[in-house]
Amino acid sequence: MRARVYVTLKPGVHDPAGTAVQGGLVSMGYEEVRSVRIGKFFEVEVDDDLSAQHAGGPRARLEEMCRKLLANTVIESFRVELL
Amino acid sequence: MTARVAVITFPGSNCDADLRHAVGLFGMQAVAVWHKDSTLPAVDAVLLPGGFSYGDYLRCGAIARFSPVMVDVVRFAGRGGPVLGVCNGFQILTECGLVPGVLLRNSGLTFQCRDVNLRVEGKPTPFTGGLVGATLRLPIAHAEGNWFADAETLARVEGEGQVIFRYLGNPNGSVHDIAGVSNSAGNVVGLMPHPERYVEADVGGTDGAGVFRSLSASCFGALPLKAPGATA
Amino acid sequence: MNPGNEQDTITDEMVQKHGLSPEEYQRLLGVLGREPTFVELGVFSVMWSEHCSYKSSRIHLGRLPTTGPRVLIGPGENAGVVDLGDGLAACFKMESHNHPSYIEPYQGAATGVGGILRDVFTMGARPVALMDSLRFGRLDHPKTRGLVRGVVAGIAGYGNCMGVPTVAGETRFDRSYDGNCLVNAFCCGIVASDRIFLGTTGAPGNKVFYVGAGTGRDGIHGATMASTEFGEGSEEKRPTVQVGDPFQEKLLLEACLELMQGTAIVGIQDMGAAGLTSSSVEMAGRGGRGLLLRLDLVPMRETGMVPYELLLSESQERMLIVIEPGREQEVFDVFRKWDLSVAEIGEVTDDGVWRCTWHGEEVAAIPVAVLTDSAPKYDRPQQAPAALPGLPEIVDPDPVGRLPAMLADPDISDKQWIWRQYDHQVGTDTVVGPGADAALVRIKGTRKYLAYVCDSNGRHVVLDPFVGTAGQVAECARNLACVGATPVGLSDCMNFGNPRKPEIMWQFARSVDGMAEACRALGVPVISGNVSLYNETDGVGILPTPGLAMVGLYEGPPPRVAGRFPRGGLTVALLGGVGRSLGGSVYARQFGFDRHGSPPLVDYAAEVALHDALRALIGAGAVEVAHDLSDGGLLVALAECCMEGVGGIFNVGGDAGALYGEDHGRALIAFAPEHAVQVRALTEGVSFRELGHTGGDVLRLADTHGYAVAELQAVWRNSFPEWLNAGAVATLATA
């Protein structure tokens, strides 16, 4: 099974990189750009048989991976899509 | 007559003053140029300094290449003017397509500030005129200096003598130990190590001096790469 | 008066959540003469927090010597300033960012560096050097590796981007830091001595400008957090961590220094902890004026923000500037050139009241004097803790043979893995960088060099805070002497536990007194610093850790002295006496006796004689190597001198005290035999003992032991990175 994981900054957390990209776009003439926020995107492939052995199945496992490693839950939130 | 060398300051550049200081030590006049300037003044060479232009956010050099002054820098390079990009300057040159390849995250994932040994090779350039064959000890200070190109580009760069600096002891995982490359004409050079940091015996050493001596010599016509508008 | 906010009545619970005791709230009611609005309660909570008011420490800090012929500005401003002669001055300070770094190591450490940089360039100085003093828990504690990686990456991420070299630092480990790491960041800048800027207001009618990044909801109540003990549930405080933007700060640095070239600025103040509130109140307090702030004009990064949030936000990379009326355009021009937010948000008033409005409505109005002068000051009870056990006799049949284990000790082993991640050369002035006794950084265009060292030794201080702290001051001065420099000033960062515990308060007071005595004896003024209390987790305090950063000046031709043997054929000598003090030593800790005995004493006359001799030797070019004895004593210092690959034959042996004692007042030197007579003349009055000669690639000791230098190098170099990589937990989430 494949999964997509999106990790994004929580609302309100300052995104210096996004701000710099927004400024860059505006200075290049894309004046309509009001804000840019940058996140991370993961494609994860998991073994169906193995993940079925865990309570909650692949979604629970992937969310656990997000909490433990993929996302810094101090400042980031995540979303898991199973394909 | 003094050679005039432009050092461009991008927002986030932090080796611009170091480059101007080094240029001055070798009898050339450093001209500070602001990235928002729409035209390049009359100069004999252009240097792009190290640092973190636009914070290195998105990709190193990705936003700086769109600075207004870069239009003129690309034009200057196209006319054969000598252009050197050091560290972040090298990253900007690759984003502009003025030199081949890209710079990826170091294989060890961390920023590395330390001395490396380099061999100068390839075709003669305005910055390495008398140095080909020499071994230099210069410092690196980067997190994204892992030079990479596809197989075809790599073969061309190697075949045409565009590898100008090669690590002896690879610090970052770059393909073929490549530390610096030139464009096909040889007038535009980018490298990750910082020659401007080692130009005085009391501060690290003098192995970077040759790059500036070579530039000074080439500005006085030793190489047929005189830029239009030059004052020398 | 309408508070312009959702809550009007102040409940006991609200008072408690703001970190004010019932007594403090009564005091607030008394000085204000009425009930505060909710906004005002927030303002008092930060202004009266330990972090801003120094309420527990202030009465003790007054005992430190803060004046001297070179001191231009002492404690109380954003940073202290010392005169370097020829119109130049050094502006420096060390500050802690412990609690935020434990909660989010990358951002906590990064914003610590950002804050100390702002403190320095606010004064008009261009930052030229950074240092960091770090403390982490046991190597086998599950959190330690992640904290080390995150903190180091955060310091690197911020300092490197700013283009300010990180030239020195120190990192030590102890179980007491398991749940409370320490991150103390130091910055020094150079400023023309007649162009120093202060945080003041000037005359009524002057305009107040906000410049830099927009304000978001970052770190609201961060200053209050830094004053509360950690414990179960501290996870909930996480959203208060602020995110640093070094790129924005680099622009702010250049823009501020550019505006400072002119004469528009009357006063300028960094918005640090407690943000807009404390910066504006401090400015008004120093200027003896009132201020009017129109909060709706503050540049905001988020929608729906309210006055309470704007006043308490700890968003980074912001400054408050006061200018004379009519000079507004100059400010707009410079900050717009650098693509930074700039807004006129208020003015200086003559009524002495700190007043905030929100779309024309008043939301806070407090006399400035009430906020600055009426903060509580506590002389908290002190009591000496129960005496620690004496140091038992350590049975060690082969103390010399312990050398490899000593070199692998986490407090002694090579920290290249850390400092290679810091750009220590940008600026092209670093003559001696990290890994040496002290860093040495040139001032271009002069014959002046500044030397930097930071040191703190909780192992010694816990045994006797007075003696331990005095020893640290001596050690710092000795480190500076080893690169030929004379101390010009000290910044202190006092990291202690909960001041409400009499034993902790006693440690603090004794530590201050020890520092004061040593600073007087060695002629070093304390010009800046900060205090970090409540460094405890679940009731367990850290080792008392007074972090010291000392700056020295060297003038003359480039000094040629190294900390390692550069070649064979040199004579090696020990200056100062034979060691014997193992209390608080790394050696004793290796046997599990790390809270036993007493620390080494300081003999000030011997220290001064040694430092003078070292400076004379280096100034005359008579020695090629000078290296201070500290952690691990004589044998470790000798082995460290071999770490460039040159060994030697030395008559060094004896008992563990002689080999590993951490007695003060000692240094190793190495010199060419032809300089022997000159060396003896310049070290007259200092205990001198020839140990042997350099040469070969083996370290031979007392005819009994021989170690291949390459093997010692491997142990010393590899033990720290091997430990880190053994727990190769990916750092994706923190970097």
Side-chain angles (χ1 to χ4, degrees):
Chain A
M1 177 186 284
R2 280 153 49 92
R4 288 181 180 154
V5 176
Y6 301 84
V7 174
T8 50
L9 284 171
K10 288 179 178 169
V13 174
H14 186 28
D15 181 5
T19 306
V21 171
Q22 185 259 348
L25 289 170
V26 168
S27 69
M28 288 162 67
Y30 300 101
E31 286 156 9
E32 68 271 33
V33 180
R34 284 279 165 269
S35 128
V36 173
R37 290 177 74 76
I38 301 175
K40 294 189 189 110
F41 169 66
F42 303 80
E43 284 182 335
V44 184
E45 199 175 338
V46 296
D47 185 308
D48 291 3
D49 295 339
L50 285 176
S51 67
Q53 293 170 16
H54 295 279
R59 174 169 295 278
R61 292 283 282 177
L62 279 155
E63 286 177 352
E64 188 183 318
M65 292 177 213
C66 287
R67 278 191 299 274
K68 283 192 174 165
L69 178 65
L70 302 185
N72 177 355
T73 54
V74 178
I75 52 175
E76 291 169 331
S77 51
F78 56 86
R79 183 160 60 84
V80 174
E81 265 179 29
L82 298 178
L83 299 180
Chain B
M1 214 44 136
T2 309
R4 282 164 52 88
V5 178
V7 176
I8 305 202
T9 298
F10 298 94
S13 293
N14 63 31
C15 301
D16 45 342
D18 298 352
L19 265 180
R20 293 197 300 267
H21 175 72
V23 162
L25 289 176
F26 294 90
M28 297 174 279
Q29 185 195 345
V31 182
V33 174
W34 180 239
H35 75 116
K36 285 183 188 169
D37 291 354
S38 53
T39 55
L40 200 57
V43 290
D44 301 286
V46 175
L47 308 185
L48 275 55
F52 290 71
S53 59
Y54 292 94
D56 273 0
Y57 301 141
L58 192 59
R59 290 186 311 281
C60 304
I63 304 177
R65 67 160 288 210
F66 291 106
S67 288
V69 77
M70 287 307 291
V71 175
D72 243 19
V73 171
V74 171
R75 211 174 280 147
F76 178 82
R79 289 195 301 244
V83 176
L84 178 74
V86 176
C87 199
N88 191 233
F90 183 17
Q91 292 162 341
I92 296 169
L93 289 177
T94 63
E95 284 283 340
C96 294
L98 281 176
V99 294
V102 294
L103 293 146
L104 306 176
R105 188 103 183 256
N106 293 350
S107 53
L109 300 182
T110 56
F111 188 98
Q112 286 290 302
C113 179
R114 61 184 174 102
D115 288 356
V116 294
N117 288 316
L118 301 169
R119 191 170 57 232
V120 185
E121 48 186 73
K123 62 178 74 183
T125 74
F127 308 98
T128 55
L131 297 173
V132 177
T135 298
L136 307 178
R137 183 182 58 89
L138 290 179
I140 55 165
H142 61 246
E144 273 128 341
N146 177 354
W147 190 83
F148 176 81
D150 59 47
E152 191 189 327
T153 308
L154 180 61
R156 193 181 71 241
V157 167
E158 287 282 8
E160 315 243 315
Q162 287 175 243
V163 176
I164 307 301
F165 298 95
R166 203 185 298 271
Y167 297 115
L168 304 169
N170 191 328
N172 55 28
S174 69
V175 63
H176 286 204
D177 303 330
I178 288 170
V181 295
S182 74
N183 63 348
S184 58
N187 62 309
V188 183
V189 174
L191 79 164
M192 288 314 298
H194 288 269
E196 79 279 10
R197 292 192 179 182
Y198 284 178
V199 290
E200 294 168 273
D202 299 320
V203 187
T206 56
D207 276 14
V211 170
F212 296 92
R213 285 205 192 92
S214 175
L215 174 62
S216 175
S218 72
C219 286
F220 288 103
L223 289 167
L225 288 171
K226 208 61 182 302
T231 55
Chain C
M1 188 171 97
N2 186 332
N5 212 292
E6 61 278 7
Q7 284 180 281
D8 279 331
T9 317
I10 306 299
T11 64
D12 291 351
E13 192 196 352
M14 283 157 63
V15 170
Q16 194 202 343
K17 277 198 169 153
H18 280 79
L20 294 174
S21 68
E23 297 75 35
E24 285 172 340
Y25 187 64
Q26 287 308 311
R27 181 187 182 89
L28 189 168
L29 293 176
V31 295
L32 194 59
R34 60 175 168 82
E35 190 166 280
T37 64
F38 185 67
V39 171
E40 289 169 339
L41 179 65
V43 166
F44 275 100
S45 82
V46 293
M47 290 308 295
W48 285 9
S49 70
E50 196 69 67
H51 192 93
C52 289
S53 72
Y54 290 75
K55 57 191 171 193
S56 301
S57 57
R58 187 168 286 218
I59 62 156
H60 299 289
L61 297 175
R63 298 198 294 274
L64 293 169
T66 57
T67 56
R70 286 189 184 275
V71 178
L72 299 179
I73 293 178
E77 278 287 343
N78 288 293
V81 184
V82 290
D83 191 11
L84 302 175
D86 303 315
L88 291 175
C91 171
F92 59 89
K93 186 180 182 183
M94 189 177 222
E95 196 163 70
S96 62
H97 223 219
N98 305 335
H99 299 75
S101 300
Y102 185 75
I103 289 172
E104 213 305 292
Y106 184 96
Q107 295 297 344
T111 51
V113 173
I116 197 65
L117 280 158
R118 280 196 303 285
D119 277 335
V120 166
F121 71 77
T122 303
M123 307 285 293
R126 177 171 283 280
V128 295
L130 290 167
M131 291 194 283
D132 304 284
S133 174
L134 309 179
R135 288 294 175 281
F136 300 101
R138 283 167 297 184
L139 297 191
D140 55 1
H141 188 276
K143 285 209 77 158
T144 304
R145 278 190 189 88
L147 287 169
V148 170
R149 287 180 183 277
V151 164
V152 170
I155 291 169
Y158 212 105
N160 295 350
C161 187
M162 287 296 291
V164 181
T166 299
V167 297
E170 49 124 25
T171 306
R172 284 173 172 147
F173 301 83
D174 183 273
R175 63 180 185 274
S176 72
Y177 308 111
D178 280 353
N180 198 125
C181 62
L182 301 185
V183 175
N184 293 178
F186 164 94
C187 179
C188 180
I190 301 291
V191 59
S193 44
D194 59 352
R195 299 287 295 159
I196 297 166
F197 288 82
L198 302 176
T200 188
T201 57
N206 284 344
K207 304 295 184 189
V208 179
F209 272 74
Y210 171 115
V211 300
T215 297
R217 292 191 176 89
D218 322 63
I220 290 177
H221 269 189
T224 318
M225 174 179 85
S227 308
T228 318
E229 241 179 271
F230 276 10
E232 296 300 326
S234 70
E235 317 285 300
E236 288 165 26
K237 291 183 176 165
R238 282 182 161 183
T240 61
V241 168
Q242 58 277 60
V243 173
D245 183 352
F247 169 58
Q248 192 79 198
E249 176 129 317
K250 170 70 173 165
L251 304 184
L252 188 61
L253 160 70
E254 297 300 337
C256 285
L257 292 183
E258 190 171 318
L259 187 62
M260 285 164 170
Q261 300 289 311
T263 55
I265 297 178
V266 174
I268 177 167
Q269 176 87 21
D270 152 48
M271 286 189 235
L276 185 53
T277 295
S278 81
S279 59
S280 59
V281 169
E282 281 171 29
M283 283 181 107
R286 292 197 198 103
R289 302 290 182 183
L291 272 187
L292 168 64
L293 301 178
R294 298 184 183 91
L295 298 175
D296 47 297
L297 299 180
V298 170
M300 291 171 227
R301 221 179 54 221
E302 295 176 55
T303 53
M305 293 191 71
V306 296
Y308 181 88
E309 292 171 320
L310 289 165
L311 283 169
L312 300 194
S313 165
E314 293 193 346
S315 289
Q316 300 287 295
E317 295 95 22
R318 307 178 298 161
M319 292 275 195
L320 216 50
I321 296 179
V322 174
I323 62 157
E324 286 172 11
R327 311 294 294 269
E328 292 87 346
Q329 199 55 43
E330 292 168 54
V331 183
F332 284 117
D333 287 348
V334 168
F335 284 86
R336 284 179 182 155
K337 171 189 164 185
W338 289 95
D339 296 322
L340 291 161
S341 296
V342 48
E344 186 184 326
I345 63 163
E347 61 225 18
V348 179
T349 59
D350 61 0
D351 62 359
V353 175
W354 182 82
R355 209 180 290 277
C356 298
T357 63
W358 178 247
H359 296 291
E361 246 176 90
E362 194 169 275
V363 294
I366 309 170
V368 172
V370 165
L371 284 169
T372 54
D373 303 339
S374 70
K377 259 184 250 172
Y378 298 124
D379 187 358
R380 297 194 188 274
Q382 303 172 31
Q383 190 188 337
L388 291 165
L391 183 63
E393 193 175 333
I394 294 171
V395 180
D396 185 358
D398 179 19
V400 173
R402 195 150 190 94
L403 177 60
M406 291 291 288
L407 292 176
D409 190 280
D411 283 7
I412 289 173
S413 63
D414 185 24
K415 302 301 184 304
Q416 205 172 78
W417 183 91
I418 293 176
W419 55 256
R420 272 189 170 174
Q421 295 187 51
Y422 305 148
D423 190 338
H424 48 267
Q425 296 173 318
V426 62
T428 65
D429 289 318
T430 307
V431 177
V432 179
D437 282 336
L440 194 67
V441 182
R442 166 180 81 167
I443 304 176
K444 277 196 183 81
T446 72
R447 281 159 56 88
K448 296 178 200 296
Y449 298 75
L450 287 181
Y452 303 98
V453 66
C454 58
D455 197 32
S456 59
N457 190 335
R459 281 184 283 108
H460 288 186
V461 176
V462 73
L463 301 180
D464 183 333
F466 185 100
V467 173
T469 307
Q472 263 180 234
V473 174
E475 156 101 32
C476 283
R478 201 158 63 238
N479 284 137
L480 296 179
C482 282
V483 295
T486 306
V488 294
L490 178 83
S491 190
D492 65 321
C493 198
M494 306 293 279
N495 309 279
F496 286 76
N498 182 347
R500 293 187 176 120
K501 295 183 180 169
E503 294 80 8
I504 301 286
M505 211 56 235
W506 179 85
Q507 286 178 333
F508 183 87
R510 293 293 291 161
S511 180
V512 166
D513 287 335
M515 191 189 322
E517 181 190 87
C519 283
R520 285 203 174 85
L522 300 172
V524 187
V526 180
I527 65 157
S528 58
N530 95 319
V531 176
S532 171
L533 300 173
Y534 297 97
N535 288 288
E536 298 203 354
T537 303
D538 299 328
V540 181
I542 59 162
L543 289 181
T545 314
L548 305 185
M550 203 182 281
V551 177
L553 175 64
Y554 170 91
E555 287 187 89
R560 298 188 194 286
V561 63
R564 315 252 185 265
F565 300 140
R567 62 190 180 99
L570 300 176
T571 305
V572 177
L574 170 66
L575 300 183
V578 175
R580 60 177 183 281
S581 177
L582 288 173
S585 68
V586 171
Y587 180 82
R589 185 174 69 176
Q590 290 207 344
F591 288 88
F593 301 125
D594 56 342
R595 305 287 196 271
H596 299 72
S598 48
L601 298 168
V602 186
D603 176 343
Y604 295 113
E607 283 287 351
V608 169
L610 174 71
H611 304 178
D612 286 344
L614 285 166
R615 283 188 284 266
L617 290 166
I618 292 164
V623 290
E624 292 183 29
V625 172
H627 183 35
D628 155 61
L629 268 59
S630 61
D631 283 7
L634 172 62
L635 191 48
V636 165
L638 192 59
E640 285 171 344
C641 284
C642 299
M643 289 300 144
E644 286 294 311
V646 178
I649 301 174
F650 305 101
N651 181 23
V652 169
D655 62 11
L659 294 170
Y660 303 118
E662 296 181 2
D663 306 67
H664 292 293
R666 304 186 299 155
L668 286 174
I669 54 170
F671 50 93
E674 59 265 32
H675 287 131
V677 173
Q678 189 186 13
V679 167
R680 291 311 300 269
L682 291 172
T683 54
E684 206 185 328
V686 176
S687 162
F688 181 101
R689 195 175 126 223
E690 198 173 304
L691 298 180
H693 297 86
T694 65
D697 55 6
V698 175
L699 172 62
R700 287 191 196 287
L701 299 163
D703 300 329
T704 58
H705 289 72
Y707 291 102
V709 168
E711 280 169 33
L712 295 179
Q713 276 177 319
V715 167
W716 179 70
R717 284 239 164 87
N718 299 339
S719 55
F720 184 65
E722 274 169 8
W723 162 74
L724 269 167
N725 294 327
V729 179
T731 50
L732 190 62
T734 46

